[in-house]
Amino acid sequence: MSGLRDILTSRIAQTGPMSIADYMTTCLMHPEHGYYSTRDPFGAQGDFITAPEISQMFGELLGLCLAQSWLDQGAPKPFTLAELGPGRGTLMADILRATARVPGFHDAARIHLVEASPTLRQMQAETLKGHAPEWHDTVTALPDAPLFLVANEFFDALPIRQFIRDGDGWAERVIGLADGELAFGRTDALPLSELDDRLEDTKDGDLVETCTPAQTIMAHIGAMIGAHGGAALIIDYGDWRSLGDTFQALQAQKKVSPLDNPGNADLTAHVDFEALARSCAPAVHSRLTPQGVFLERLGITPRAQALAAKLSGDALETHIAAHRRLTHPDEMGLLFKVIGITPDASTTPPGLEP
Ligand code: SAH
């Protein structure tokens, strides 16, 4: 029995159906029962495994990409080296190891982590011992300085809302009760000016998703990079312009219904990169690039070969599988995408195109 199910059920009974966004926020971040607040969900034994947990090569290449971008922008000092949603801290640790020999980079870097979960903050502190990171609840707390930032599988955890086209209006998909159990429902249709542009590419019954927090966060990052310089690398699964229901729950690396086990399954939605790109002014965005293409351009194959030379047996097999998993179009290579945010088109980070 999930304590969170009772909390959600009685709240809906008192105040009516809740948006998917409210449901996601409560399930992921409830202080006592929230999915991220209470556990370490990553790794082979966890509910899901992310790119930095698959191989150190991912963080190394992102680190070198950021460092090159920092050099290209005149090696500003000091600068903010930030990560959003650092999980176990593995990605930042790999970035720091790979950049240790970039002259001046570590001296100039101030490490800032945006993380909501106290449990994960503790793990990050352990992983990043010796680097003195500072933690924040939101991006708005980042200092005014050149900003070099990574976010891997962060935006997919932000709360979305879903709307179903109905004539010239939109019905919101909500979570209510049916026979005392959590159940999807929908509101009456209303016109929604923020979805006016979607009247052009949808028909009755189509579902679109919005994620206002993602746009707000991106607007802040864009403003910082526009004002102080820097680069942001956003990596996530998703596409250019959302269409259809991508709200999903993962438990023990299997898809389950998002309503089945509130607080005990990871909830995500695909990232709408067009909405992010539209929010980054005055900074500019690169072309949306498949993760596999990006990592190949940064040299993952020679790096994989160099590491392979020191491995044999099971370790070698695992390493080869990891390379494939990160880059192959049938694995993460195509589903995951990268977008870069910089002050202007001349500063597009290595591996990406303006
Ligand atoms: N980047 C890591 C972890 C991805 S999971 C990796 O690639 O392995 C999502 C991360 O974002 C977790 O650390 C989670 O606690 C954090 N997170 C989710 N929503 C957040 C929010 N609104 N504010 C801050 N951190 C959040």
Side-chain angles (χ1 to χ4, degrees), residues 162-190:
Q162 294 186 324
F163 298 94
I164 301 157
R165 172 88 185 263
D166 184 340
D168 280 348
W170 300 90
E172 181 159 7
R173 193 164 181 237
V174 291
I175 295 163
L177 298 175
D179 303 324
E181 293 295 327
L182 297 172
F184 286 110
R186 54 191 279 181
T187 64
D188 290 337
L190 287 171

PDB file of all heavy atoms in Angstrom, residues 162-190:
ATOM      1  N   GLN A 162      -1.440  18.037 -20.074  1.00  0.00           N
ATOM      2  CA  GLN A 162      -1.880  17.455 -21.351  1.00  0.00           C
ATOM      3  C   GLN A 162      -3.228  18.059 -21.747  1.00  0.00           C
ATOM      4  O   GLN A 162      -4.116  18.201 -20.894  1.00  0.00           O
ATOM      5  CB  GLN A 162      -2.026  15.941 -21.216  1.00  0.00           C
ATOM      6  CG  GLN A 162      -0.716  15.218 -20.982  1.00  0.00           C
ATOM      7  CD  GLN A 162      -0.872  13.708 -21.007  1.00  0.00           C
ATOM      8  OE1 GLN A 162      -1.891  13.182 -20.556  1.00  0.00           O
ATOM      9  NE2 GLN A 162       0.129  13.019 -21.522  1.00  0.00           N
ATOM     10  N   PHE A 163      -3.347  18.378 -23.025  1.00  0.00           N
ATOM     11  CA  PHE A 163      -4.584  18.968 -23.542  1.00  0.00           C
ATOM     12  C   PHE A 163      -5.052  18.216 -24.779  1.00  0.00           C
ATOM     13  O   PHE A 163      -4.243  17.896 -25.659  1.00  0.00           O
ATOM     14  CB  PHE A 163      -4.366  20.443 -23.883  1.00  0.00           C
ATOM     15  CG  PHE A 163      -3.998  21.271 -22.675  1.00  0.00           C
ATOM     16  CD1 PHE A 163      -2.663  21.514 -22.357  1.00  0.00           C
ATOM     17  CD2 PHE A 163      -4.988  21.772 -21.829  1.00  0.00           C
ATOM     18  CE1 PHE A 163      -2.324  22.257 -21.241  1.00  0.00           C
ATOM     19  CE2 PHE A 163      -4.656  22.517 -20.713  1.00  0.00           C
ATOM     20  CZ  PHE A 163      -3.323  22.764 -20.412  1.00  0.00           C
ATOM     21  N   ILE A 164      -6.358  17.964 -24.838  1.00  0.00           N
ATOM     22  CA  ILE A 164      -6.919  17.219 -25.966  1.00  0.00           C
ATOM     23  C   ILE A 164      -7.745  18.181 -26.817  1.00  0.00           C
ATOM     24  O   ILE A 164      -8.615  18.890 -26.303  1.00  0.00           O
ATOM     25  CB  ILE A 164      -7.802  16.060 -25.448  1.00  0.00           C
ATOM     26  CG1 ILE A 164      -6.952  15.122 -24.578  1.00  0.00           C
ATOM     27  CG2 ILE A 164      -8.435  15.293 -26.606  1.00  0.00           C
ATOM     28  CD1 ILE A 164      -7.760  14.303 -23.590  1.00  0.00           C
ATOM     29  N   ARG A 165      -7.423  18.207 -28.101  1.00  0.00           N
ATOM     30  CA  ARG A 165      -8.110  19.112 -29.030  1.00  0.00           C
ATOM     31  C   ARG A 165      -9.589  18.750 -29.125  1.00  0.00           C
ATOM     32  O   ARG A 165      -9.948  17.580 -29.301  1.00  0.00           O
ATOM     33  CB  ARG A 165      -7.449  18.997 -30.417  1.00  0.00           C
ATOM     34  CG  ARG A 165      -8.146  19.727 -31.531  1.00  0.00           C
ATOM     35  CD  ARG A 165      -7.642  21.156 -31.621  1.00  0.00           C
ATOM     36  NE  ARG A 165      -8.388  21.906 -32.623  1.00  0.00           N
ATOM     37  CZ  ARG A 165      -7.981  22.105 -33.874  1.00  0.00           C
ATOM     38  NH1 ARG A 165      -6.826  21.601 -34.274  1.00  0.00           N
ATOM     39  NH2 ARG A 165      -8.715  22.821 -34.711  1.00  0.00           N
ATOM     40  N   ASP A 166     -10.442  19.769 -29.012  1.00  0.00           N
ATOM     41  CA  ASP A 166     -11.887  19.556 -29.083  1.00  0.00           C
ATOM     42  C   ASP A 166     -12.477  20.784 -29.772  1.00  0.00           C
ATOM     43  O   ASP A 166     -12.613  21.844 -29.150  1.00  0.00           O
ATOM     44  CB  ASP A 166     -12.431  19.384 -27.655  1.00  0.00           C
ATOM     45  CG  ASP A 166     -13.910  19.053 -27.633  1.00  0.00           C
ATOM     46  OD1 ASP A 166     -14.595  19.315 -28.650  1.00  0.00           O
ATOM     47  OD2 ASP A 166     -14.383  18.552 -26.598  1.00  0.00           O
ATOM     48  N   GLY A 167     -12.741  20.692 -31.065  1.00  0.00           N
ATOM     49  CA  GLY A 167     -13.169  21.862 -31.825  1.00  0.00           C
ATOM     50  C   GLY A 167     -12.045  22.879 -31.839  1.00  0.00           C
ATOM     51  O   GLY A 167     -10.892  22.533 -32.089  1.00  0.00           O
ATOM     52  N   ASP A 168     -12.371  24.139 -31.509  1.00  0.00           N
ATOM     53  CA  ASP A 168     -11.325  25.158 -31.429  1.00  0.00           C
ATOM     54  C   ASP A 168     -10.815  25.317 -30.006  1.00  0.00           C
ATOM     55  O   ASP A 168     -10.086  26.260 -29.687  1.00  0.00           O
ATOM     56  CB  ASP A 168     -11.839  26.500 -31.951  1.00  0.00           C
ATOM     57  CG  ASP A 168     -11.804  26.530 -33.471  1.00  0.00           C
ATOM     58  OD1 ASP A 168     -11.177  25.620 -34.070  1.00  0.00           O
ATOM     59  OD2 ASP A 168     -12.427  27.448 -34.058  1.00  0.00           O
ATOM     60  N   GLY A 169     -11.221  24.406 -29.120  1.00  0.00           N
ATOM     61  CA  GLY A 169     -10.790  24.491 -27.725  1.00  0.00           C
ATOM     62  C   GLY A 169      -9.986  23.273 -27.319  1.00  0.00           C
ATOM     63  O   GLY A 169      -9.637  22.419 -28.140  1.00  0.00           O
ATOM     64  N   TRP A 170      -9.689  23.215 -26.044  1.00  0.00           N
ATOM     65  CA  TRP A 170      -8.839  22.161 -25.500  1.00  0.00           C
ATOM     66  C   TRP A 170      -9.411  21.675 -24.176  1.00  0.00           C
ATOM     67  O   TRP A 170      -9.712  22.480 -23.289  1.00  0.00           O
ATOM     68  CB  TRP A 170      -7.429  22.689 -25.277  1.00  0.00           C
ATOM     69  CG  TRP A 170      -6.775  23.180 -26.522  1.00  0.00           C
ATOM     70  CD1 TRP A 170      -6.828  24.449 -27.019  1.00  0.00           C
ATOM     71  CD2 TRP A 170      -5.998  22.407 -27.438  1.00  0.00           C
ATOM     72  NE1 TRP A 170      -6.121  24.534 -28.198  1.00  0.00           N
ATOM     73  CE2 TRP A 170      -5.595  23.288 -28.468  1.00  0.00           C
ATOM     74  CE3 TRP A 170      -5.601  21.069 -27.491  1.00  0.00           C
ATOM     75  CZ2 TRP A 170      -4.818  22.863 -29.542  1.00  0.00           C
ATOM     76  CZ3 TRP A 170      -4.815  20.653 -28.553  1.00  0.00           C
ATOM     77  CH2 TRP A 170      -4.434  21.546 -29.574  1.00  0.00           C
ATOM     78  N   ALA A 171      -9.541  20.362 -24.029  1.00  0.00           N
ATOM     79  CA  ALA A 171      -9.930  19.768 -22.751  1.00  0.00           C
ATOM     80  C   ALA A 171      -8.658  19.315 -22.044  1.00  0.00           C
ATOM     81  O   ALA A 171      -7.796  18.692 -22.666  1.00  0.00           O
ATOM     82  CB  ALA A 171     -10.843  18.570 -22.988  1.00  0.00           C
ATOM     83  N   GLU A 172      -8.510  19.641 -20.773  1.00  0.00           N
ATOM     84  CA  GLU A 172      -7.302  19.187 -20.072  1.00  0.00           C
ATOM     85  C   GLU A 172      -7.482  17.755 -19.571  1.00  0.00           C
ATOM     86  O   GLU A 172      -8.533  17.400 -19.023  1.00  0.00           O
ATOM     87  CB  GLU A 172      -6.968  20.113 -18.891  1.00  0.00           C
ATOM     88  CG  GLU A 172      -5.688  19.642 -18.199  1.00  0.00           C
ATOM     89  CD  GLU A 172      -4.992  20.704 -17.362  1.00  0.00           C
ATOM     90  OE1 GLU A 172      -5.553  21.810 -17.182  1.00  0.00           O
ATOM     91  OE2 GLU A 172      -3.874  20.404 -16.882  1.00  0.00           O
ATOM     92  N   ARG A 173      -6.476  16.930 -19.778  1.00  0.00           N
ATOM     93  CA  ARG A 173      -6.502  15.574 -19.224  1.00  0.00           C
ATOM     94  C   ARG A 173      -6.101  15.684 -17.748  1.00  0.00           C
ATOM     95  O   ARG A 173      -5.076  16.274 -17.420  1.00  0.00           O
ATOM     96  CB  ARG A 173      -5.512  14.688 -19.978  1.00  0.00           C
ATOM     97  CG  ARG A 173      -5.687  13.209 -19.684  1.00  0.00           C
ATOM     98  CD  ARG A 173      -4.956  12.401 -20.751  1.00  0.00           C
ATOM     99  NE  ARG A 173      -5.109  10.988 -20.536  1.00  0.00           N
ATOM    100  CZ  ARG A 173      -4.098  10.119 -20.381  1.00  0.00           C
ATOM    101  NH1 ARG A 173      -2.852  10.555 -20.411  1.00  0.00           N
ATOM    102  NH2 ARG A 173      -4.336   8.838 -20.194  1.00  0.00           N
ATOM    103  N   VAL A 174      -6.918  15.139 -16.889  1.00  0.00           N
ATOM    104  CA  VAL A 174      -6.708  15.288 -15.445  1.00  0.00           C
ATOM    105  C   VAL A 174      -6.784  13.924 -14.763  1.00  0.00           C
ATOM    106  O   VAL A 174      -7.152  12.915 -15.385  1.00  0.00           O
ATOM    107  CB  VAL A 174      -7.756  16.242 -14.813  1.00  0.00           C
ATOM    108  CG1 VAL A 174      -7.535  17.682 -15.264  1.00  0.00           C
ATOM    109  CG2 VAL A 174      -9.174  15.772 -15.142  1.00  0.00           C
ATOM    110  N   ILE A 175      -6.451  13.910 -13.473  1.00  0.00           N
ATOM    111  CA  ILE A 175      -6.532  12.673 -12.706  1.00  0.00           C
ATOM    112  C   ILE A 175      -7.566  12.859 -11.603  1.00  0.00           C
ATOM    113  O   ILE A 175      -7.459  13.766 -10.775  1.00  0.00           O
ATOM    114  CB  ILE A 175      -5.148  12.290 -12.144  1.00  0.00           C
ATOM    115  CG1 ILE A 175      -4.224  11.974 -13.324  1.00  0.00           C
ATOM    116  CG2 ILE A 175      -5.255  11.102 -11.196  1.00  0.00           C
ATOM    117  CD1 ILE A 175      -2.766  11.965 -12.992  1.00  0.00           C
ATOM    118  N   GLY A 176      -8.604  12.022 -11.681  1.00  0.00           N
ATOM    119  CA  GLY A 176      -9.679  12.068 -10.697  1.00  0.00           C
ATOM    120  C   GLY A 176      -9.866  10.695 -10.085  1.00  0.00           C
ATOM    121  O   GLY A 176      -8.930   9.892 -10.034  1.00  0.00           O
ATOM    122  N   LEU A 177     -11.093  10.426  -9.635  1.00  0.00           N
ATOM    123  CA  LEU A 177     -11.393   9.141  -9.004  1.00  0.00           C
ATOM    124  C   LEU A 177     -12.521   8.453  -9.751  1.00  0.00           C
ATOM    125  O   LEU A 177     -13.463   9.091 -10.200  1.00  0.00           O
ATOM    126  CB  LEU A 177     -11.827   9.361  -7.551  1.00  0.00           C
ATOM    127  CG  LEU A 177     -10.793  10.002  -6.615  1.00  0.00           C
ATOM    128  CD1 LEU A 177     -11.400  10.266  -5.242  1.00  0.00           C
ATOM    129  CD2 LEU A 177      -9.549   9.128  -6.499  1.00  0.00           C
ATOM    130  N   ALA A 178     -12.385   7.126  -9.913  1.00  0.00           N
ATOM    131  CA  ALA A 178     -13.492   6.313 -10.415  1.00  0.00           C
ATOM    132  C   ALA A 178     -13.608   5.128  -9.465  1.00  0.00           C
ATOM    133  O   ALA A 178     -12.628   4.394  -9.287  1.00  0.00           O
ATOM    134  CB  ALA A 178     -13.211   5.844 -11.845  1.00  0.00           C
ATOM    135  N   ASP A 179     -14.757   4.985  -8.831  1.00  0.00           N
ATOM    136  CA  ASP A 179     -14.936   3.955  -7.792  1.00  0.00           C
ATOM    137  C   ASP A 179     -13.839   4.016  -6.741  1.00  0.00           C
ATOM    138  O   ASP A 179     -13.292   2.991  -6.323  1.00  0.00           O
ATOM    139  CB  ASP A 179     -14.970   2.539  -8.402  1.00  0.00           C
ATOM    140  CG  ASP A 179     -16.067   2.406  -9.449  1.00  0.00           C
ATOM    141  OD1 ASP A 179     -17.137   3.017  -9.249  1.00  0.00           O
ATOM    142  OD2 ASP A 179     -15.837   1.722 -10.469  1.00  0.00           O
ATOM    143  N   GLY A 180     -13.473   5.231  -6.354  1.00  0.00           N
ATOM    144  CA  GLY A 180     -12.483   5.389  -5.287  1.00  0.00           C
ATOM    145  C   GLY A 180     -11.041   5.194  -5.719  1.00  0.00           C
ATOM    146  O   GLY A 180     -10.116   5.386  -4.936  1.00  0.00           O
ATOM    147  N   GLU A 181     -10.810   4.820  -6.997  1.00  0.00           N
ATOM    148  CA  GLU A 181      -9.436   4.608  -7.486  1.00  0.00           C
ATOM    149  C   GLU A 181      -9.007   5.764  -8.402  1.00  0.00           C
ATOM    150  O   GLU A 181      -9.847   6.345  -9.089  1.00  0.00           O
ATOM    151  CB  GLU A 181      -9.369   3.306  -8.292  1.00  0.00           C
ATOM    152  CG  GLU A 181      -9.579   2.038  -7.494  1.00  0.00           C
ATOM    153  CD  GLU A 181      -8.460   1.807  -6.467  1.00  0.00           C
ATOM    154  OE1 GLU A 181      -7.302   2.183  -6.759  1.00  0.00           O
ATOM    155  OE2 GLU A 181      -8.763   1.266  -5.384  1.00  0.00           O
ATOM    156  N   LEU A 182      -7.702   6.034  -8.433  1.00  0.00           N
ATOM    157  CA  LEU A 182      -7.173   7.053  -9.335  1.00  0.00           C
ATOM    158  C   LEU A 182      -7.519   6.692 -10.785  1.00  0.00           C
ATOM    159  O   LEU A 182      -7.365   5.539 -11.188  1.00  0.00           O
ATOM    160  CB  LEU A 182      -5.651   7.151  -9.205  1.00  0.00           C
ATOM    161  CG  LEU A 182      -5.111   7.586  -7.833  1.00  0.00           C
ATOM    162  CD1 LEU A 182      -3.594   7.450  -7.789  1.00  0.00           C
ATOM    163  CD2 LEU A 182      -5.537   9.014  -7.503  1.00  0.00           C
ATOM    164  N   ALA A 183      -8.002   7.679 -11.537  1.00  0.00           N
ATOM    165  CA  ALA A 183      -8.387   7.407 -12.925  1.00  0.00           C
ATOM    166  C   ALA A 183      -8.221   8.675 -13.760  1.00  0.00           C
ATOM    167  O   ALA A 183      -8.407   9.787 -13.263  1.00  0.00           O
ATOM    168  CB  ALA A 183      -9.838   6.937 -12.985  1.00  0.00           C
ATOM    169  N   PHE A 184      -7.849   8.499 -15.035  1.00  0.00           N
ATOM    170  CA  PHE A 184      -7.757   9.644 -15.931  1.00  0.00           C
ATOM    171  C   PHE A 184      -9.146  10.140 -16.295  1.00  0.00           C
ATOM    172  O   PHE A 184     -10.078   9.349 -16.454  1.00  0.00           O
ATOM    173  CB  PHE A 184      -7.021   9.250 -17.220  1.00  0.00           C
ATOM    174  CG  PHE A 184      -5.541   9.098 -17.029  1.00  0.00           C
ATOM    175  CD1 PHE A 184      -4.945   7.842 -17.077  1.00  0.00           C
ATOM    176  CD2 PHE A 184      -4.739  10.210 -16.806  1.00  0.00           C
ATOM    177  CE1 PHE A 184      -3.575   7.695 -16.913  1.00  0.00           C
ATOM    178  CE2 PHE A 184      -3.359  10.076 -16.633  1.00  0.00           C
ATOM    179  CZ  PHE A 184      -2.782   8.816 -16.679  1.00  0.00           C
ATOM    180  N   GLY A 185      -9.270  11.451 -16.437  1.00  0.00           N
ATOM    181  CA  GLY A 185     -10.508  12.037 -16.916  1.00  0.00           C
ATOM    182  C   GLY A 185     -10.172  13.270 -17.730  1.00  0.00           C
ATOM    183  O   GLY A 185      -9.006  13.504 -18.041  1.00  0.00           O
ATOM    184  N   ARG A 186     -11.171  14.041 -18.110  1.00  0.00           N
ATOM    185  CA  ARG A 186     -10.892  15.274 -18.831  1.00  0.00           C
ATOM    186  C   ARG A 186     -11.871  16.361 -18.443  1.00  0.00           C
ATOM    187  O   ARG A 186     -13.005  16.088 -18.062  1.00  0.00           O
ATOM    188  CB  ARG A 186     -10.889  15.041 -20.338  1.00  0.00           C
ATOM    189  CG  ARG A 186     -12.148  14.396 -20.863  1.00  0.00           C
ATOM    190  CD  ARG A 186     -11.974  13.954 -22.289  1.00  0.00           C
ATOM    191  NE  ARG A 186     -12.158  15.083 -23.203  1.00  0.00           N
ATOM    192  CZ  ARG A 186     -12.089  14.985 -24.522  1.00  0.00           C
ATOM    193  NH1 ARG A 186     -11.813  13.826 -25.089  1.00  0.00           N
ATOM    194  NH2 ARG A 186     -12.302  16.018 -25.291  1.00  0.00           N
ATOM    195  N   THR A 187     -11.405  17.598 -18.514  1.00  0.00           N
ATOM    196  CA  THR A 187     -12.268  18.737 -18.217  1.00  0.00           C
ATOM    197  C   THR A 187     -13.107  19.055 -19.453  1.00  0.00           C
ATOM    198  O   THR A 187     -12.888  18.490 -20.524  1.00  0.00           O
ATOM    199  CB  THR A 187     -11.428  19.982 -17.891  1.00  0.00           C
ATOM    200  OG1 THR A 187     -10.687  20.340 -19.068  1.00  0.00           O
ATOM    201  CG2 THR A 187     -10.459  19.720 -16.740  1.00  0.00           C
ATOM    202  N   ASP A 188     -14.037  19.985 -19.306  1.00  0.00           N
ATOM    203  CA  ASP A 188     -14.705  20.519 -20.499  1.00  0.00           C
ATOM    204  C   ASP A 188     -13.685  21.284 -21.334  1.00  0.00           C
ATOM    205  O   ASP A 188     -12.668  21.745 -20.814  1.00  0.00           O
ATOM    206  CB  ASP A 188     -15.831  21.481 -20.089  1.00  0.00           C
ATOM    207  CG  ASP A 188     -16.995  20.711 -19.452  1.00  0.00           C
ATOM    208  OD1 ASP A 188     -17.126  19.495 -19.732  1.00  0.00           O
ATOM    209  OD2 ASP A 188     -17.728  21.310 -18.655  1.00  0.00           O
ATOM    210  N   ALA A 189     -13.976  21.417 -22.627  1.00  0.00           N
ATOM    211  CA  ALA A 189     -13.031  22.121 -23.510  1.00  0.00           C
ATOM    212  C   ALA A 189     -13.168  23.634 -23.345  1.00  0.00           C
ATOM    213  O   ALA A 189     -14.268  24.153 -23.171  1.00  0.00           O
ATOM    214  CB  ALA A 189     -13.287  21.721 -24.950  1.00  0.00           C
ATOM    215  N   LEU A 190     -12.019  24.307 -23.383  1.00  0.00           N
ATOM    216  CA  LEU A 190     -11.962  25.763 -23.317  1.00  0.00           C
ATOM    217  C   LEU A 190     -10.986  26.251 -24.374  1.00  0.00           C
ATOM    218  O   LEU A 190     -10.027  25.545 -24.677  1.00  0.00           O
ATOM    219  CB  LEU A 190     -11.390  26.212 -21.963  1.00  0.00           C
ATOM    220  CG  LEU A 190     -12.239  26.094 -20.717  1.00  0.00           C
ATOM    221  CD1 LEU A 190     -11.372  26.390 -19.498  1.00  0.00           C
ATOM    222  CD2 LEU A 190     -13.402  27.080 -20.799  1.00  0.00           C
TER     223      LEU A 190
END
